[in-house]
Structures are given as structure tokens and as C-alpha cells.
Amino acid sequence: MRVAIQGYEGCFHHIAAEGYFGEGIEIVPCATFRELTRRLEEGAAESALMAIENSIAGSILPNYGLLQDLRLRVVGEIYLQIKQNLLMLPDVELSEIREVWSHPMALLQCADYLDDKGWRLVETEDTALSAAQIAREGVRHAAAIAGELPARLFGLKVAAPEINTIRNNHTRFMVLRRSADCREDENRDTINKASMFFQVGHRKGTLANVLNTMERYNINMTKLQSYPVPSDPFRYLFHLDMEFQDVWEYREAVLHMSAVSDGLTVYGEYTRGRHI
């Protein structure tokens, strides 16, 4: 299976993709999330894995807009614990290190570890790309901050594991496929989560009418995210994730929510994701 990811071989998207699909997949690297959805639509990949939120940094708002493309469907999710490691060539000692290369966010996540080292911090495009460059060019004076997968892929050693300051750091990824490749009855017996978006008018109680439906039908709301409608200033769409036990109660709830909102679209029904 070909899986499109944002980033490069060995990045956290790659780690999450292997956690969901297994190690026998072919990675289709993409520089941006928009390229990721385009490659999936064009058939360059059968599935795609897209980060949607992080437990520290919050939601990736532009990606909610990408999910509204009705040619794509959410068919699953997975949660990945982010573990940053210091990687270097196998025969290099810490005393030889003068620079640390990584994505700016990764450097920030490891600030406490790096503060007293006196190393020059070099911001790069991608964590895994930094590791690959050190391995490919045999750079002895530099280390990379990245996940553990690049060490295995590029023959580096983990000189210091889990150096990120906040250990309880998780990213949620959504698994996407083309709508044309999804059957209506696929995973019907195992679905217990859904993602959708809706809009409400500027009328008193409209949002409450939609949300109160979930309590009535024993549904647990796990995410509510508002984001602006670019073509309509100061109007907002709402992304909603919900978990449920009874599929038929969920179906009834969606019908009622559609009736009391100004349009509701479900773009994914799937099985609640596991944490890796």
C-alpha cells in the first residue's frame, strides 16, 4: 500500500503510518498538507495520514478546511506519543558535537535538555531530513533531534533518548482515503466514532440546539473546533468529533442535528484510534 504523508522518510508521520498500517507500506512523501491531499486525489497513494491536532500545540486549523473536500473520507485515526531523541553517527562521542540540527518546533520541545550544552542550534525543514543529511554526508560535528525511526533507517545511534521536556505529548492523525474507494457498509459493525462539520445562523440558541442533541442520544463529544469561513467574514464552521456505542442512536442524532443546523456534513465514520 502507498501512503501519502506530510514530511519525509523517518518523520513522525511515517512512524504513525507504520503504527496504523504496518511496516510493509510504501511512503509517498509530501512537502505540504495540501500536496498530501492532492497526491491522494490523483491516485499517487491509496491512503494518506494527516496530523490534525497536538496535545500541546492544539489544532492544525488549515487541515480542517482540507477535510471539507468531499472527494476524501476519514476512515480511521491513530494517536502517536512524540518522543524526541538525539541522534548522531555511531562512532561519534557527545564531546565532538558542536551543532544540533532539527525542525524549530523540535528544538523548542527539547529546550531544557539543550540549554546548558553550549551547542549551536540549526533550524531545518524536517526532523528526519536532518538525521538523513548527517548520515548521508557523514557529519561528525552535528547531531539531529528526531524520532527513533530515522536512527534505524539511516544507521545512526540514539545518543540520548526522549529528551523532550514534556513527555506527555501526543499527536492525533487522521487516515484518509478517496470517497470513491470507500463502501457505505465498510466497517459498519465496528464504527464508534464520527467526524463532521456544520454551520449555524446568528440566532439565539442555535449552537446549543445542535450540541444538546448529543446528550439526548448518549453521545460523547470529544472535539469541538470553530474556524472561519474565508468567503463569509465573521461566519464560522464547527468541526465536531463524537464517540458513541449505539450506531442507530448516532444515526438518529445526526438526523436531528442536521435539522437544527444550517447544514451538516459527515466526512468520516470509523473505529476509535489507539495510542502508540
Side-chain angles (χ1 to χ4, degrees):
M1 175 180 288
R2 295 170 298 172
V3 181
I5 62 168
Q6 188 277 318
Y8 302 90
E9 186 181 21
C11 69
F12 288 108
H13 270 77
H14 187 174
I15 297 172
E18 286 195 349
Y20 187 88
F21 293 103
E23 294 186 4
I25 57 175
E26 177 185 342
I27 292 297
V28 180
C30 303
T32 65
F33 288 112
R34 187 168 293 278
E35 180 188 349
L36 176 151
T37 58
R38 185 173 65 250
R39 298 293 295 274
L40 179 59
E41 290 172 351
E42 293 171 350
E46 286 77 44
S47 297
L49 204 83
M50 183 174 74
I52 194 68
E53 61 180 314
N54 176 265
S55 58
I56 297 174
S59 299
I60 305 175
L61 288 180
N63 288 0
Y64 289 99
L66 295 176
L67 289 175
Q68 293 176 34
D69 186 343
L70 300 183
R71 290 170 292 182
L72 302 179
R73 295 281 294 175
V74 180
V75 297
E77 65 174 3
I78 192 166
Y79 296 80
L80 174 68
Q81 184 176 5
I82 304 300
K83 299 178 182 179
Q84 302 285 11
N85 308 278
L86 190 72
L87 310 183
M88 59 181 66
L89 293 174
D91 60 342
V92 170
E93 301 298 328
L94 276 176
S95 58
E96 300 178 62
I97 298 302
R98 299 290 179 267
E99 296 180 349
V100 174
W101 302 354
S102 198
H103 187 277
M105 183 60 70
L107 294 173
L108 185 62
Q109 290 172 352
C110 303
D112 286 357
Y113 174 82
L114 297 170
D115 270 350
D116 61 351
K117 299 296 188 296
W119 296 327
R120 178 171 175 261
L121 305 183
V122 180
E123 296 183 354
T124 64
E125 180 183 356
D126 183 80
T127 56
L129 207 58
S130 302
Q133 183 178 354
I134 288 173
R136 183 175 62 252
E137 300 177 5
V139 182
R140 299 185 63 85
H141 71 278
I145 291 178
E148 197 172 0
L149 181 58
R152 171 163 60 87
L153 292 176
F154 309 131
L156 299 176
K157 71 176 179 181
V158 178
E162 296 188 44
I163 61 174
N164 41 298
T165 302
I166 300 176
R167 301 299 175 90
N168 192 25
N169 179 11
H170 295 79
T171 296
R172 179 188 177 210
F173 298 83
M174 285 184 161
V175 182
L176 308 178
R177 289 174 61 190
R178 290 181 295 273
S179 295
D181 296 336
C182 299
R183 303 192 315 270
E184 281 297 322
D185 61 345
E186 192 169 13
N187 300 323
R188 182 177 57 185
D189 296 331
T190 61
I191 63 168
N192 53 21
K193 192 167 184 178
S195 296
M196 61 197 70
F197 68 92
F198 65 92
Q199 190 170 3
V200 293
H202 289 298
R203 301 183 301 276
K204 182 178 178 179
T206 52
L207 179 58
N209 286 338
V210 176
L211 301 183
N212 288 340
T213 302
M214 287 181 285
E215 181 179 4
R216 187 180 312 161
Y217 287 95
N218 301 312
I219 289 173
N220 179 35
M221 179 178 68
T222 58
K223 180 75 175 181
L224 179 65
Q225 177 70 55
S226 65
Y227 51 101
V229 181
S231 60
D232 195 353
F234 303 107
R235 293 292 298 271
Y236 293 85
L237 288 170
F238 292 90
H239 169 97
L240 177 66
D241 293 325
M242 58 169 67
E243 295 179 356
F244 48 88
Q245 294 181 340
D246 189 304
V247 173
W248 299 111
E249 285 187 330
Y250 155 73
R251 303 278 188 225
E252 289 292 326
V254 169
L255 287 174
H256 187 268
M257 293 166 69
S258 298
V260 297
S261 66
D262 292 349
L264 182 148
T265 300
V266 177
Y267 47 69
E269 298 174 345
Y270 48 95
T271 305
R272 182 169 56 248
R274 62 190 182 93
H275 291 251
I276 61 171

